[in-house]
Amino acid sequence: MRTPPRILAVDDNPTNLEILRVRLNAQGYEVVTAVDGEDALARAHELEPDLILLDVMMPKLDGISVLKQLKQDAKLRFVPVILVTAKADTRDIVQGLDAGGDDYLTKPIDHGALVARVRAMLRIKALHDEVHALNKGLEAKVQAQVDELERVGRLRRFLAPQLARAIVSAGNETIMENHRRDIVAMFCDLRGFTAFSETAQPEDIMGLLAEYHAALGPLIRKYEGTLDRFTGDGMLVFFNDPLPCPDAPERAAKLAIEMRDAVSALGQDWSRRGHRLGFGIGMAQGYATLGRIGFEDRFDYTAIGAVINLAARLCAEATDNQVLVSGRLAAAVESIVEVEKLGERSLKGMARPVTITNLLGPKAQETSQQKWTP
């Protein structure tokens, strides 16, 4: 509510208006006037007063009709209205209160009653304005939270939830723009899935994929990997982007071994159901270009570069239960995992032979000291 409060006095009698103006000005209120019902509506819309003193008996448009129109206006609906009647006519009072009036005064107006009722109605208006301001603040806060949730939802399509929340909290998505970074890339897929898909029913294929994704998804989230995409049974996950990850090789190695063990457990059940499926992983470390690709309403976050191709080729080379990694990545993780050096191999699409290492599992001290965590 403004200071001083603005009061609109409405009466077709100039003398009555002058009396109201003088009395209320003496109390420190700003007073504006209207000389009939139509003028009252125009002035109310123009000035948005904090209180209206409304005469009931007026030409053109009586006070009750004015009151009904005021209460239908969203901007004026909560402005208190004190009805002023020429006499204590119960029917006018009841009709006015039913139409939305908040209080009434009878003519001749008693000065003490006028001041007391005006103060009471302005207190109510002040409380309403305070509640309205709080509600607007809450609405803005809720909308901001909704916007944040929507942004988190969009980011969670290709980021671990904690990373999505961090980016949204920072209020800066420039990190999603194209950039170059040293990453660890991991490809994995099921061995024998193509043959399985050719003979299995679609419902069985979807059910098996659901089990597969449900087992691996929480592990990717646990190690804060960035899930690039699903390609049926295949997945591409990378580390050290979009947020830096100083221990990317270690996280990738731990994730790969836990994924391998999780799918191995699933494989036992699949085997009992007659499905012969294995699991292989390929990983490499190197520089890639990363960023958003797509179009409005459908963006993905992806990595492009030789390191991605190398990880894919290593995945294709891996047999069941193998985690094949490039030489640089093997050197970075051999202190925490047991490795099997497989020498150099020529891979499809690679100009030169690649030194390959198979990750076997965590080293004994890692297991005993319970360090096998992100």
PDB file of all heavy atoms in Angstrom, residues 193-224:
ATOM      1  N   PHE A 193      24.524 -60.055 -29.339  1.00  0.00           N
ATOM      2  CA  PHE A 193      23.206 -59.413 -29.280  1.00  0.00           C
ATOM      3  C   PHE A 193      22.514 -59.418 -30.642  1.00  0.00           C
ATOM      4  O   PHE A 193      21.294 -59.569 -30.727  1.00  0.00           O
ATOM      5  CB  PHE A 193      23.355 -57.975 -28.774  1.00  0.00           C
ATOM      6  CG  PHE A 193      22.044 -57.264 -28.596  1.00  0.00           C
ATOM      7  CD1 PHE A 193      21.237 -57.527 -27.494  1.00  0.00           C
ATOM      8  CD2 PHE A 193      21.606 -56.336 -29.531  1.00  0.00           C
ATOM      9  CE1 PHE A 193      20.031 -56.893 -27.323  1.00  0.00           C
ATOM     10  CE2 PHE A 193      20.396 -55.671 -29.364  1.00  0.00           C
ATOM     11  CZ  PHE A 193      19.608 -55.952 -28.267  1.00  0.00           C
ATOM     12  N   THR A 194      23.275 -59.251 -31.723  1.00  0.00           N
ATOM     13  CA  THR A 194      22.663 -59.242 -33.060  1.00  0.00           C
ATOM     14  C   THR A 194      21.993 -60.572 -33.351  1.00  0.00           C
ATOM     15  O   THR A 194      20.838 -60.616 -33.826  1.00  0.00           O
ATOM     16  CB  THR A 194      23.724 -58.932 -34.126  1.00  0.00           C
ATOM     17  OG1 THR A 194      24.315 -57.657 -33.856  1.00  0.00           O
ATOM     18  CG2 THR A 194      23.102 -58.914 -35.514  1.00  0.00           C
ATOM     19  N   ALA A 195      22.686 -61.671 -33.050  1.00  0.00           N
ATOM     20  CA  ALA A 195      22.089 -62.991 -33.277  1.00  0.00           C
ATOM     21  C   ALA A 195      20.861 -63.191 -32.394  1.00  0.00           C
ATOM     22  O   ALA A 195      19.845 -63.757 -32.824  1.00  0.00           O
ATOM     23  CB  ALA A 195      23.131 -64.077 -33.004  1.00  0.00           C
ATOM     24  N   PHE A 196      20.954 -62.745 -31.153  1.00  0.00           N
ATOM     25  CA  PHE A 196      19.813 -62.847 -30.238  1.00  0.00           C
ATOM     26  C   PHE A 196      18.622 -62.068 -30.781  1.00  0.00           C
ATOM     27  O   PHE A 196      17.478 -62.535 -30.757  1.00  0.00           O
ATOM     28  CB  PHE A 196      20.229 -62.318 -28.868  1.00  0.00           C
ATOM     29  CG  PHE A 196      19.098 -61.992 -27.948  1.00  0.00           C
ATOM     30  CD1 PHE A 196      18.331 -63.000 -27.370  1.00  0.00           C
ATOM     31  CD2 PHE A 196      18.780 -60.662 -27.662  1.00  0.00           C
ATOM     32  CE1 PHE A 196      17.277 -62.680 -26.522  1.00  0.00           C
ATOM     33  CE2 PHE A 196      17.741 -60.342 -26.810  1.00  0.00           C
ATOM     34  CZ  PHE A 196      16.977 -61.359 -26.235  1.00  0.00           C
ATOM     35  N   SER A 197      18.852 -60.867 -31.319  1.00  0.00           N
ATOM     36  CA  SER A 197      17.775 -60.015 -31.812  1.00  0.00           C
ATOM     37  C   SER A 197      17.084 -60.612 -33.027  1.00  0.00           C
ATOM     38  O   SER A 197      15.897 -60.358 -33.270  1.00  0.00           O
ATOM     39  CB  SER A 197      18.313 -58.624 -32.173  1.00  0.00           C
ATOM     40  OG  SER A 197      18.893 -58.003 -31.058  1.00  0.00           O
ATOM     41  N   GLU A 198      17.826 -61.399 -33.802  1.00  0.00           N
ATOM     42  CA  GLU A 198      17.247 -61.983 -35.014  1.00  0.00           C
ATOM     43  C   GLU A 198      16.242 -63.087 -34.718  1.00  0.00           C
ATOM     44  O   GLU A 198      15.358 -63.370 -35.528  1.00  0.00           O
ATOM     45  CB  GLU A 198      18.365 -62.531 -35.905  1.00  0.00           C
ATOM     46  CG  GLU A 198      19.238 -61.433 -36.531  1.00  0.00           C
ATOM     47  CD  GLU A 198      20.426 -62.004 -37.279  1.00  0.00           C
ATOM     48  OE1 GLU A 198      20.664 -63.235 -37.156  1.00  0.00           O
ATOM     49  OE2 GLU A 198      21.116 -61.226 -37.969  1.00  0.00           O
ATOM     50  N   THR A 199      16.352 -63.699 -33.544  1.00  0.00           N
ATOM     51  CA  THR A 199      15.480 -64.835 -33.234  1.00  0.00           C
ATOM     52  C   THR A 199      14.509 -64.563 -32.087  1.00  0.00           C
ATOM     53  O   THR A 199      13.476 -65.227 -31.985  1.00  0.00           O
ATOM     54  CB  THR A 199      16.324 -66.062 -32.873  1.00  0.00           C
ATOM     55  OG1 THR A 199      17.172 -65.744 -31.760  1.00  0.00           O
ATOM     56  CG2 THR A 199      17.194 -66.477 -34.059  1.00  0.00           C
ATOM     57  N   ALA A 200      14.827 -63.615 -31.231  1.00  0.00           N
ATOM     58  CA  ALA A 200      13.979 -63.356 -30.058  1.00  0.00           C
ATOM     59  C   ALA A 200      12.776 -62.497 -30.430  1.00  0.00           C
ATOM     60  O   ALA A 200      12.781 -61.763 -31.416  1.00  0.00           O
ATOM     61  CB  ALA A 200      14.799 -62.658 -28.971  1.00  0.00           C
ATOM     62  N   GLN A 201      11.731 -62.602 -29.613  1.00  0.00           N
ATOM     63  CA  GLN A 201      10.562 -61.747 -29.777  1.00  0.00           C
ATOM     64  C   GLN A 201      10.904 -60.316 -29.345  1.00  0.00           C
ATOM     65  O   GLN A 201      11.718 -60.103 -28.434  1.00  0.00           O
ATOM     66  CB  GLN A 201       9.395 -62.262 -28.929  1.00  0.00           C
ATOM     67  CG  GLN A 201       8.861 -63.617 -29.383  1.00  0.00           C
ATOM     68  CD  GLN A 201       8.277 -63.558 -30.785  1.00  0.00           C
ATOM     69  OE1 GLN A 201       7.577 -62.613 -31.145  1.00  0.00           O
ATOM     70  NE2 GLN A 201       8.592 -64.580 -31.580  1.00  0.00           N
ATOM     71  N   PRO A 202      10.277 -59.301 -29.983  1.00  0.00           N
ATOM     72  CA  PRO A 202      10.574 -57.910 -29.613  1.00  0.00           C
ATOM     73  C   PRO A 202      10.388 -57.639 -28.123  1.00  0.00           C
ATOM     74  O   PRO A 202      11.158 -56.887 -27.525  1.00  0.00           O
ATOM     75  CB  PRO A 202       9.581 -57.098 -30.461  1.00  0.00           C
ATOM     76  CG  PRO A 202       9.288 -57.970 -31.637  1.00  0.00           C
ATOM     77  CD  PRO A 202       9.334 -59.376 -31.109  1.00  0.00           C
ATOM     78  N   GLU A 203       9.351 -58.243 -27.520  1.00  0.00           N
ATOM     79  CA  GLU A 203       9.113 -58.025 -26.093  1.00  0.00           C
ATOM     80  C   GLU A 203      10.267 -58.560 -25.256  1.00  0.00           C
ATOM     81  O   GLU A 203      10.657 -57.952 -24.243  1.00  0.00           O
ATOM     82  CB  GLU A 203       7.807 -58.677 -25.657  1.00  0.00           C
ATOM     83  CG  GLU A 203       6.547 -58.080 -26.274  1.00  0.00           C
ATOM     84  CD  GLU A 203       6.279 -58.598 -27.673  1.00  0.00           C
ATOM     85  OE1 GLU A 203       7.037 -59.477 -28.159  1.00  0.00           O
ATOM     86  OE2 GLU A 203       5.310 -58.125 -28.290  1.00  0.00           O
ATOM     87  N   ASP A 204      10.822 -59.707 -25.678  1.00  0.00           N
ATOM     88  CA  ASP A 204      11.958 -60.281 -24.951  1.00  0.00           C
ATOM     89  C   ASP A 204      13.199 -59.402 -25.086  1.00  0.00           C
ATOM     90  O   ASP A 204      13.978 -59.239 -24.132  1.00  0.00           O
ATOM     91  CB  ASP A 204      12.263 -61.693 -25.467  1.00  0.00           C
ATOM     92  CG  ASP A 204      11.157 -62.679 -25.140  1.00  0.00           C
ATOM     93  OD1 ASP A 204      10.427 -62.432 -24.159  1.00  0.00           O
ATOM     94  OD2 ASP A 204      11.020 -63.676 -25.864  1.00  0.00           O
ATOM     95  N   ILE A 205      13.384 -58.841 -26.285  1.00  0.00           N
ATOM     96  CA  ILE A 205      14.531 -57.957 -26.508  1.00  0.00           C
ATOM     97  C   ILE A 205      14.428 -56.719 -25.621  1.00  0.00           C
ATOM     98  O   ILE A 205      15.393 -56.331 -24.943  1.00  0.00           O
ATOM     99  CB  ILE A 205      14.607 -57.538 -27.992  1.00  0.00           C
ATOM    100  CG1 ILE A 205      14.821 -58.769 -28.871  1.00  0.00           C
ATOM    101  CG2 ILE A 205      15.730 -56.521 -28.208  1.00  0.00           C
ATOM    102  CD1 ILE A 205      14.714 -58.487 -30.352  1.00  0.00           C
ATOM    103  N   MET A 206      13.240 -56.100 -25.607  1.00  0.00           N
ATOM    104  CA  MET A 206      13.059 -54.904 -24.790  1.00  0.00           C
ATOM    105  C   MET A 206      13.212 -55.217 -23.308  1.00  0.00           C
ATOM    106  O   MET A 206      13.789 -54.429 -22.549  1.00  0.00           O
ATOM    107  CB  MET A 206      11.682 -54.290 -25.058  1.00  0.00           C
ATOM    108  CG  MET A 206      11.515 -53.725 -26.458  1.00  0.00           C
ATOM    109  SD  MET A 206      12.647 -52.356 -26.798  1.00  0.00           S
ATOM    110  CE  MET A 206      11.936 -51.078 -25.762  1.00  0.00           C
ATOM    111  N   GLY A 207      12.718 -56.371 -22.870  1.00  0.00           N
ATOM    112  CA  GLY A 207      12.847 -56.761 -21.469  1.00  0.00           C
ATOM    113  C   GLY A 207      14.291 -56.969 -21.072  1.00  0.00           C
ATOM    114  O   GLY A 207      14.722 -56.532 -19.990  1.00  0.00           O
ATOM    115  N   LEU A 208      15.061 -57.623 -21.944  1.00  0.00           N
ATOM    116  CA  LEU A 208      16.468 -57.858 -21.636  1.00  0.00           C
ATOM    117  C   LEU A 208      17.247 -56.535 -21.602  1.00  0.00           C
ATOM    118  O   LEU A 208      18.085 -56.317 -20.716  1.00  0.00           O
ATOM    119  CB  LEU A 208      17.061 -58.806 -22.674  1.00  0.00           C
ATOM    120  CG  LEU A 208      18.505 -59.249 -22.421  1.00  0.00           C
ATOM    121  CD1 LEU A 208      18.684 -60.727 -22.779  1.00  0.00           C
ATOM    122  CD2 LEU A 208      19.480 -58.401 -23.236  1.00  0.00           C
ATOM    123  N   LEU A 209      16.961 -55.650 -22.551  1.00  0.00           N
ATOM    124  CA  LEU A 209      17.633 -54.347 -22.548  1.00  0.00           C
ATOM    125  C   LEU A 209      17.302 -53.545 -21.298  1.00  0.00           C
ATOM    126  O   LEU A 209      18.152 -52.839 -20.752  1.00  0.00           O
ATOM    127  CB  LEU A 209      17.257 -53.555 -23.802  1.00  0.00           C
ATOM    128  CG  LEU A 209      17.913 -53.999 -25.117  1.00  0.00           C
ATOM    129  CD1 LEU A 209      17.365 -53.193 -26.277  1.00  0.00           C
ATOM    130  CD2 LEU A 209      19.434 -53.874 -25.045  1.00  0.00           C
ATOM    131  N   ALA A 210      16.050 -53.669 -20.847  1.00  0.00           N
ATOM    132  CA  ALA A 210      15.658 -52.954 -19.628  1.00  0.00           C
ATOM    133  C   ALA A 210      16.470 -53.447 -18.436  1.00  0.00           C
ATOM    134  O   ALA A 210      16.925 -52.642 -17.603  1.00  0.00           O
ATOM    135  CB  ALA A 210      14.168 -53.132 -19.372  1.00  0.00           C
ATOM    136  N   GLU A 211      16.675 -54.762 -18.336  1.00  0.00           N
ATOM    137  CA  GLU A 211      17.488 -55.317 -17.252  1.00  0.00           C
ATOM    138  C   GLU A 211      18.943 -54.843 -17.362  1.00  0.00           C
ATOM    139  O   GLU A 211      19.577 -54.486 -16.357  1.00  0.00           O
ATOM    140  CB  GLU A 211      17.431 -56.844 -17.302  1.00  0.00           C
ATOM    141  CG  GLU A 211      16.049 -57.425 -17.047  1.00  0.00           C
ATOM    142  CD  GLU A 211      16.006 -58.923 -17.323  1.00  0.00           C
ATOM    143  OE1 GLU A 211      17.016 -59.479 -17.815  1.00  0.00           O
ATOM    144  OE2 GLU A 211      14.963 -59.533 -17.051  1.00  0.00           O
ATOM    145  N   TYR A 212      19.426 -54.838 -18.571  1.00  0.00           N
ATOM    146  CA  TYR A 212      20.805 -54.440 -18.853  1.00  0.00           C
ATOM    147  C   TYR A 212      21.038 -52.976 -18.479  1.00  0.00           C
ATOM    148  O   TYR A 212      21.982 -52.633 -17.753  1.00  0.00           O
ATOM    149  CB  TYR A 212      21.044 -54.693 -20.338  1.00  0.00           C
ATOM    150  CG  TYR A 212      22.333 -54.201 -20.940  1.00  0.00           C
ATOM    151  CD1 TYR A 212      23.567 -54.697 -20.531  1.00  0.00           C
ATOM    152  CD2 TYR A 212      22.303 -53.278 -21.991  1.00  0.00           C
ATOM    153  CE1 TYR A 212      24.740 -54.277 -21.136  1.00  0.00           C
ATOM    154  CE2 TYR A 212      23.465 -52.853 -22.599  1.00  0.00           C
ATOM    155  CZ  TYR A 212      24.684 -53.347 -22.171  1.00  0.00           C
ATOM    156  OH  TYR A 212      25.842 -52.930 -22.769  1.00  0.00           O
ATOM    157  N   HIS A 213      20.163 -52.114 -18.939  1.00  0.00           N
ATOM    158  CA  HIS A 213      20.302 -50.680 -18.641  1.00  0.00           C
ATOM    159  C   HIS A 213      20.103 -50.393 -17.158  1.00  0.00           C
ATOM    160  O   HIS A 213      20.780 -49.530 -16.585  1.00  0.00           O
ATOM    161  CB  HIS A 213      19.305 -49.877 -19.470  1.00  0.00           C
ATOM    162  CG  HIS A 213      19.583 -49.918 -20.940  1.00  0.00           C
ATOM    163  ND1 HIS A 213      18.594 -49.805 -21.897  1.00  0.00           N
ATOM    164  CD2 HIS A 213      20.755 -50.080 -21.621  1.00  0.00           C
ATOM    165  CE1 HIS A 213      19.140 -49.887 -23.102  1.00  0.00           C
ATOM    166  NE2 HIS A 213      20.443 -50.058 -22.954  1.00  0.00           N
ATOM    167  N   ALA A 214      19.172 -51.098 -16.529  1.00  0.00           N
ATOM    168  CA  ALA A 214      18.919 -50.886 -15.102  1.00  0.00           C
ATOM    169  C   ALA A 214      20.125 -51.280 -14.257  1.00  0.00           C
ATOM    170  O   ALA A 214      20.365 -50.706 -13.191  1.00  0.00           O
ATOM    171  CB  ALA A 214      17.693 -51.685 -14.662  1.00  0.00           C
ATOM    172  N   ALA A 215      20.894 -52.255 -14.728  1.00  0.00           N
ATOM    173  CA  ALA A 215      22.082 -52.681 -13.989  1.00  0.00           C
ATOM    174  C   ALA A 215      23.237 -51.698 -14.173  1.00  0.00           C
ATOM    175  O   ALA A 215      23.986 -51.417 -13.227  1.00  0.00           O
ATOM    176  CB  ALA A 215      22.509 -54.079 -14.444  1.00  0.00           C
ATOM    177  N   LEU A 216      23.383 -51.141 -15.380  1.00  0.00           N
ATOM    178  CA  LEU A 216      24.542 -50.303 -15.665  1.00  0.00           C
ATOM    179  C   LEU A 216      24.301 -48.823 -15.351  1.00  0.00           C
ATOM    180  O   LEU A 216      25.237 -48.107 -14.987  1.00  0.00           O
ATOM    181  CB  LEU A 216      24.946 -50.444 -17.140  1.00  0.00           C
ATOM    182  CG  LEU A 216      25.338 -51.859 -17.597  1.00  0.00           C
ATOM    183  CD1 LEU A 216      25.952 -51.807 -18.989  1.00  0.00           C
ATOM    184  CD2 LEU A 216      26.290 -52.518 -16.618  1.00  0.00           C
ATOM    185  N   GLY A 217      23.067 -48.371 -15.491  1.00  0.00           N
ATOM    186  CA  GLY A 217      22.769 -46.954 -15.261  1.00  0.00           C
ATOM    187  C   GLY A 217      23.212 -46.448 -13.897  1.00  0.00           C
ATOM    188  O   GLY A 217      23.905 -45.420 -13.802  1.00  0.00           O
ATOM    189  N   PRO A 218      22.836 -47.131 -12.799  1.00  0.00           N
ATOM    190  CA  PRO A 218      23.271 -46.657 -11.471  1.00  0.00           C
ATOM    191  C   PRO A 218      24.789 -46.633 -11.306  1.00  0.00           C
ATOM    192  O   PRO A 218      25.321 -45.791 -10.571  1.00  0.00           O
ATOM    193  CB  PRO A 218      22.621 -47.663 -10.515  1.00  0.00           C
ATOM    194  CG  PRO A 218      21.434 -48.183 -11.262  1.00  0.00           C
ATOM    195  CD  PRO A 218      21.874 -48.236 -12.699  1.00  0.00           C
ATOM    196  N   LEU A 219      25.494 -47.533 -11.972  1.00  0.00           N
ATOM    197  CA  LEU A 219      26.955 -47.542 -11.873  1.00  0.00           C
ATOM    198  C   LEU A 219      27.550 -46.328 -12.576  1.00  0.00           C
ATOM    199  O   LEU A 219      28.499 -45.702 -12.078  1.00  0.00           O
ATOM    200  CB  LEU A 219      27.517 -48.826 -12.481  1.00  0.00           C
ATOM    201  CG  LEU A 219      27.112 -50.125 -11.773  1.00  0.00           C
ATOM    202  CD1 LEU A 219      27.680 -51.332 -12.514  1.00  0.00           C
ATOM    203  CD2 LEU A 219      27.593 -50.116 -10.326  1.00  0.00           C
ATOM    204  N   ILE A 220      26.997 -45.968 -13.731  1.00  0.00           N
ATOM    205  CA  ILE A 220      27.463 -44.771 -14.446  1.00  0.00           C
ATOM    206  C   ILE A 220      27.221 -43.543 -13.586  1.00  0.00           C
ATOM    207  O   ILE A 220      28.077 -42.652 -13.486  1.00  0.00           O
ATOM    208  CB  ILE A 220      26.738 -44.648 -15.801  1.00  0.00           C
ATOM    209  CG1 ILE A 220      27.094 -45.839 -16.702  1.00  0.00           C
ATOM    210  CG2 ILE A 220      27.106 -43.326 -16.486  1.00  0.00           C
ATOM    211  CD1 ILE A 220      26.281 -45.914 -17.970  1.00  0.00           C
ATOM    212  N   ARG A 221      26.053 -43.496 -12.943  1.00  0.00           N
ATOM    213  CA  ARG A 221      25.746 -42.371 -12.062  1.00  0.00           C
ATOM    214  C   ARG A 221      26.682 -42.353 -10.857  1.00  0.00           C
ATOM    215  O   ARG A 221      27.150 -41.308 -10.431  1.00  0.00           O
ATOM    216  CB  ARG A 221      24.286 -42.468 -11.616  1.00  0.00           C
ATOM    217  CG  ARG A 221      23.825 -41.295 -10.756  1.00  0.00           C
ATOM    218  CD  ARG A 221      22.318 -41.228 -10.658  1.00  0.00           C
ATOM    219  NE  ARG A 221      21.751 -42.454 -10.119  1.00  0.00           N
ATOM    220  CZ  ARG A 221      20.971 -43.282 -10.812  1.00  0.00           C
ATOM    221  NH1 ARG A 221      20.681 -43.016 -12.074  1.00  0.00           N
ATOM    222  NH2 ARG A 221      20.480 -44.371 -10.250  1.00  0.00           N
ATOM    223  N   LYS A 222      26.978 -43.535 -10.307  1.00  0.00           N
ATOM    224  CA  LYS A 222      27.860 -43.644  -9.140  1.00  0.00           C
ATOM    225  C   LYS A 222      29.232 -43.035  -9.427  1.00  0.00           C
ATOM    226  O   LYS A 222      29.794 -42.315  -8.584  1.00  0.00           O
ATOM    227  CB  LYS A 222      27.996 -45.115  -8.752  1.00  0.00           C
ATOM    228  CG  LYS A 222      29.034 -45.405  -7.674  1.00  0.00           C
ATOM    229  CD  LYS A 222      29.142 -46.919  -7.444  1.00  0.00           C
ATOM    230  CE  LYS A 222      30.261 -47.265  -6.480  1.00  0.00           C
ATOM    231  NZ  LYS A 222      30.402 -48.735  -6.297  1.00  0.00           N
ATOM    232  N   TYR A 223      29.773 -43.303 -10.605  1.00  0.00           N
ATOM    233  CA  TYR A 223      31.113 -42.812 -10.932  1.00  0.00           C
ATOM    234  C   TYR A 223      31.083 -41.495 -11.710  1.00  0.00           C
ATOM    235  O   TYR A 223      32.122 -41.045 -12.179  1.00  0.00           O
ATOM    236  CB  TYR A 223      31.878 -43.883 -11.710  1.00  0.00           C
ATOM    237  CG  TYR A 223      32.325 -45.017 -10.814  1.00  0.00           C
ATOM    238  CD1 TYR A 223      31.610 -46.210 -10.755  1.00  0.00           C
ATOM    239  CD2 TYR A 223      33.429 -44.881  -9.989  1.00  0.00           C
ATOM    240  CE1 TYR A 223      31.999 -47.244  -9.909  1.00  0.00           C
ATOM    241  CE2 TYR A 223      33.838 -45.905  -9.149  1.00  0.00           C
ATOM    242  CZ  TYR A 223      33.115 -47.088  -9.110  1.00  0.00           C
ATOM    243  OH  TYR A 223      33.505 -48.109  -8.268  1.00  0.00           O
ATOM    244  N   GLU A 224      29.899 -40.903 -11.813  1.00  0.00           N
ATOM    245  CA  GLU A 224      29.728 -39.584 -12.423  1.00  0.00           C
ATOM    246  C   GLU A 224      30.240 -39.534 -13.853  1.00  0.00           C
ATOM    247  O   GLU A 224      30.836 -38.548 -14.300  1.00  0.00           O
ATOM    248  CB  GLU A 224      30.398 -38.493 -11.574  1.00  0.00           C
ATOM    249  CG  GLU A 224      29.805 -38.389 -10.183  1.00  0.00           C
ATOM    250  CD  GLU A 224      30.416 -37.270  -9.349  1.00  0.00           C
ATOM    251  OE1 GLU A 224      31.499 -36.768  -9.721  1.00  0.00           O
ATOM    252  OE2 GLU A 224      29.802 -36.882  -8.348  1.00  0.00           O
TER     253      GLU A 224
END
